[in-house]
Amino acid sequence: DLIEKLVERGFEVSEGRVCQNALYVKGSGLLETELYKMGMFTPQDESSMLVAELAGLKQGDLVIGNLETMLSQSSPLTMQCRRLEDKPHLNSPVEFLDAVDYAGYDLLTLANNHNCDVGVQGLLETLDNIDSYGFMRTGMFAGEEEDRYVIVDVNGIKVGIVAYATYFNKKEDNFTEEGQNVLLNSFDIDKARVDIKAAKKAGAEFVIAFMHWGKENTHDTTAKQHRYARYVARAGADYIVGSHPHALQPYEIIELSNGRQIPVIYSMGNFLSCMQQDINYDTVVLQLKLKRNEEGKIAVTSHRLYPCTIMEDLDTVSSDGTVSSESYVITPHLKEYMPQISDKSYSDRLDLEFFAGSFDRIVSVFGNEMLLDVPYDLYGLEGGIGDSIDSEYILNRAEWILDNQL
């Protein structure tokens, strides 16, 4: 019925997609005091912000996320102590992993600037807690016997994952030199070269490198990010994904002298956060599809982004019709992943101006090449979009869609 209505109104509707060898990559999960107050880590709340809109995104064969918080029982939680040593302190309840598990994550990258927030004991507790839930992990380690990479067999394709941080909030001095070398994964070009080579020797056919780098709260990349990206590409990585800026940053392809082309997304922003700047609420989910070609080599057949917005306040509707007021709900700009958008009890209180403005910012960073094409039709932008977007036009089209309950 929905398809017929869309066709009647001139929209182009693509056939359903079947995801094979599909990897989903999500930005930083960052918990702060406001989220604790909202009880957002409660696993029994099926409409909590981590899971409210993700039913359609759990179809990937491997789902990867950057977990930017510690999980230590022996250290104060962020809600109890936001700063230690005059530095931000991030430490979450272990129960948060219930929601992470429910959302469908398989593998967590851990290398980030908060690795030293809870000391050596807290770091080891964090790893124990993650292991107890059965998540695969890399980027932070319990001992020198652990590999500096993870290899996952994704439908017959062996995917290697490495993760590095470029900054630890100057707290790494609380660790001995041996502790820094063994437990943390600070970026170093020689280390990256050794790790990626070891991963490929162990069977990895395609290596994704996660880099925690850059400046916070800006769409602009730094010269160091570009330099490091080329280091990692030359070290043998096949795809590079960035985090730390808490804002989206551009995509490019690095071309090496040997003909290799390595895609880089400099930052995927926050996937889960209550940070206060508008750009902190824009996020994307990367869908990466791989295939073995006739020569037996692994090729990227598709890499697309699902644009999403973290809505600070939103009314959601459960299956029994109960309306709940939720905070920090991850809301995709794709109707097929937003079943509530046609319910007026939900949509009348959707902040359309903010929602459309977020979409505008996402497209300003990535253009329309990387984003899935469904949103352009839904927002009345058939034929793609140019260098800029008329936010008022998007807003009017979104209002029309909601009014007509498409």
Side-chain angles (χ1 to χ4, degrees):
D1 183 52
L2 172 61
I3 299 297
E4 292 177 357
K5 288 182 179 180
L6 289 172
V7 173
E8 287 174 2
R9 285 164 173 78
F11 293 112
E12 295 180 5
V13 181
S14 302
E15 296 180 358
R17 297 180 175 86
V18 178
C19 298
Q20 295 180 341
N21 296 327
L23 286 68
Y24 285 99
V25 181
K26 305 172 186 179
S28 296
L30 175 65
L31 287 194
E32 297 185 354
T33 305
E34 180 69 20
L35 303 187
Y36 293 128
K37 292 178 182 177
M38 298 302 301
M40 289 294 106
F41 57 84
T42 305
Q44 289 78 17
D45 179 8
E46 292 189 1
S47 61
S48 70
M49 65 174 177
L50 192 60
V51 301
E53 303 293 347
L54 297 182
L57 298 181
K58 293 170 70 172
Q59 59 186 292
D61 298 302
L62 176 64
V63 180
I64 307 170
N66 172 46
L67 183 67
E68 191 168 358
T69 184
M70 304 302 283
L71 302 156
S72 167
Q73 304 94 310
S74 64
S75 297
L77 299 175
T78 301
M79 66 181 298
Q80 300 166 323
C81 179
R82 295 199 64 168
R83 298 182 72 85
L84 278 178
E85 301 177 5
D86 198 33
K87 300 289 183 181
H89 173 75
L90 288 189
N91 186 37
S92 303
V94 176
E95 291 80 4
F96 177 56
L97 291 176
D98 285 310
V100 175
D101 183 46
Y102 186 87
Y105 286 90
D106 302 305
L107 191 155
L108 302 176
T109 64
L110 306 177
N112 64 75
N113 55 304
H114 294 284
N115 288 165
C116 303
D117 284 10
V118 294
V120 172
Q121 180 178 341
L123 182 151
L124 295 175
E125 290 172 350
T126 297
L127 294 176
D128 284 342
N129 290 325
I130 291 171
D131 291 345
S132 71
Y133 276 78
F135 295 110
M136 294 176 281
R137 60 171 171 82
T138 192
M140 197 166 70
F141 310 99
E144 59 184 356
E145 73 281 355
E146 293 190 359
D147 293 327
R148 302 283 137 164
Y149 55 83
V150 171
I151 298 177
V152 185
D153 189 319
V154 184
N155 290 343
I157 296 176
K158 293 185 178 180
V159 178
I161 310 293
V162 295
Y164 303 95
T166 60
Y167 184 65
F168 296 99
N169 290 347
K170 298 182 179 180
K171 292 185 178 181
E172 62 269 31
D173 290 342
N174 293 335
F175 288 53
T176 65
E177 182 177 353
E178 181 181 5
Q180 293 180 37
N181 293 333
V182 172
L183 305 178
L184 307 177
N185 216 25
S186 178
F187 176 72
D188 175 83
I189 180 56
D190 292 329
K191 182 191 299 183
R193 188 180 295 111
V194 169
D195 294 345
I196 294 173
K197 182 178 180 180
K200 292 190 173 183
K201 184 177 181 179
E205 301 172 282
F206 187 91
V207 175
I208 306 174
F210 287 80
M211 297 292 296
H212 206 75
W213 57 8
K215 291 185 177 181
E216 295 184 346
N217 303 313
T218 178
H219 293 312
D220 298 328
T221 53
T222 66
K224 181 179 289 187
Q225 281 175 277
H226 288 271
R227 186 168 68 253
Y228 283 2
R230 280 152 180 77
Y231 288 163
V232 176
R234 288 196 291 268
D238 299 292
Y239 209 104
I240 303 171
V241 178
S243 58
H244 178 64
H246 306 301
L248 300 176
Q249 292 185 344
Y251 157 87
E252 73 167 340
I253 294 179
I254 295 176
E255 296 188 15
L256 300 181
S257 57
N258 61 4
R260 290 182 66 231
Q261 295 185 332
I262 296 85
V264 183
I265 299 178
Y266 282 96
S267 175
M268 292 180 57
N270 293 328
F271 187 64
L272 167 58
S273 173
C274 65
M275 300 177 75
Q276 295 303 305
Q277 297 189 37
D278 284 354
I279 59 175
N280 301 143
Y281 291 89
D282 309 331
T283 186
V284 292
V285 176
L286 169 65
Q287 179 198 67
L288 183 61
K289 294 184 181 182
L290 307 177
K291 182 179 180 180
R292 191 181 305 279
N293 62 24
E294 295 178 355
E295 300 176 353
K297 296 182 179 180
I298 306 306
V300 176
T301 61
S302 173
H303 48 162
R304 309 300 295 275
L305 297 173
Y306 289 82
C308 305
T309 297
I310 303 169
M311 299 301 293
E312 186 171 355
D313 294 293
L314 194 64
D315 287 347
T316 58
V317 184
S318 64
S319 56
D320 64 1
T322 303
V323 179
S324 303
S325 180
E326 301 294 341
S327 296
Y328 307 104
V329 179
I330 303 161
T331 310
H333 289 263
L334 304 178
K335 183 177 177 59
E336 59 198 276
Y337 298 113
M338 301 177 60
Q340 301 102 320
I341 199 170
S342 62
D343 190 304
K344 295 297 286 184
S345 63
Y346 166 104
S347 61
D348 282 347
R349 287 181 285 276
L350 177 66
D351 187 341
L352 283 172
E353 185 173 2
F354 184 83
F355 193 57
S358 174
F359 182 73
D360 189 347
R361 289 190 298 271
I362 294 170
V363 177
S364 73
V365 174
F366 294 112
N368 62 356
E369 180 181 355
M370 280 286 287
L371 297 177
L372 287 170
D373 53 3
V374 177
Y376 311 133
D377 290 341
L378 289 179
Y379 288 116
L381 299 171
E382 298 93 334
I385 34 187
D387 295 332
S388 62
I389 293 180
D390 186 337
S391 297
E392 183 176 357
Y393 181 58
I394 294 177
L395 177 59
N396 290 338
R397 291 296 295 173
E399 288 176 334
W400 183 89
I401 291 168
L402 294 175
D403 288 342
N404 287 272
Q405 300 188 39
L406 284 181

